[in-house]
Amino acid sequence: MKVIPEWDTGVYWCESREGAVSNMINLTVTGGSVILQSPVLPVMEGDDVTLLCKTETTPSNLPAAFYKDGVFIGNETTGHMTIQHVSRSDEGLYKCDISGHGESPSSWITVTGEELHSD
């Protein structure tokens, strides 16, 4: 695992040679050992999304509390939380907490609708 220094905290985006700009993301790097693994790319409405809360130092799955937009949404004994059939209302800022190890940085999850196909 690559260690990212805290001074890399900031807003990131991509630009194409043609000038198209991606969505911006806010990356916060902290010195804590708790990590929330979540999708980086937008997820489609109706998909299942699994969040994994873990520490850098402990290989086993530890119980974790999960939060969305700062509001507690559940405890999971294995550190995994699956949100089934996501919708736009599931879009938001997620984080987790492992007792005795600390809280993860927040991660933004984006939910997109089905693309419409014309015949």
Side-chain angles (χ1 to χ4, degrees):
M1 175 180 294
K2 182 181 178 193
V3 176
I4 301 172
E6 290 183 29
W7 59 79
D8 281 346
T9 293
V11 177
Y12 289 79
W13 66 91
C14 296
E15 294 182 21
S16 71
R17 290 183 181 167
E18 294 78 30
V21 179
S22 71
N23 291 335
M24 293 182 186
I25 62 160
N26 188 8
L27 177 66
T28 303
V29 181
T30 63
S33 65
V34 178
I35 301 165
L36 176 63
Q37 288 185 343
S38 63
V40 176
L41 299 174
V43 295
M44 295 298 287
E45 282 186 298
D47 286 354
D48 292 347
V49 173
T50 298
L51 306 175
L52 170 60
C53 190
K54 65 180 195 172
T55 69
E56 293 178 355
T57 55
T58 309
S60 61
N61 297 331
L62 297 172
F66 289 84
Y67 299 84
K68 176 184 177 267
D69 299 326
V71 177
F72 174 76
I73 56 172
N75 282 315
E76 296 294 334
T77 57
T78 62
H80 292 78
M81 173 176 271
T82 299
I83 305 167
Q84 297 185 333
H85 311 296
V86 295
S87 66
R88 295 282 174 117
S89 65
D90 292 310
E91 189 169 271
L93 207 54
Y94 289 80
K95 67 181 177 181
C96 65
D97 183 275
I98 297 177
S99 182
H101 293 273
E103 190 176 274
S104 73
S106 296
S107 296
W108 182 265
I109 294 179
T110 301
V111 180
T112 62
E114 297 280 342
E115 290 184 17
L116 298 176
H117 299 283
S118 58
D119 294 323

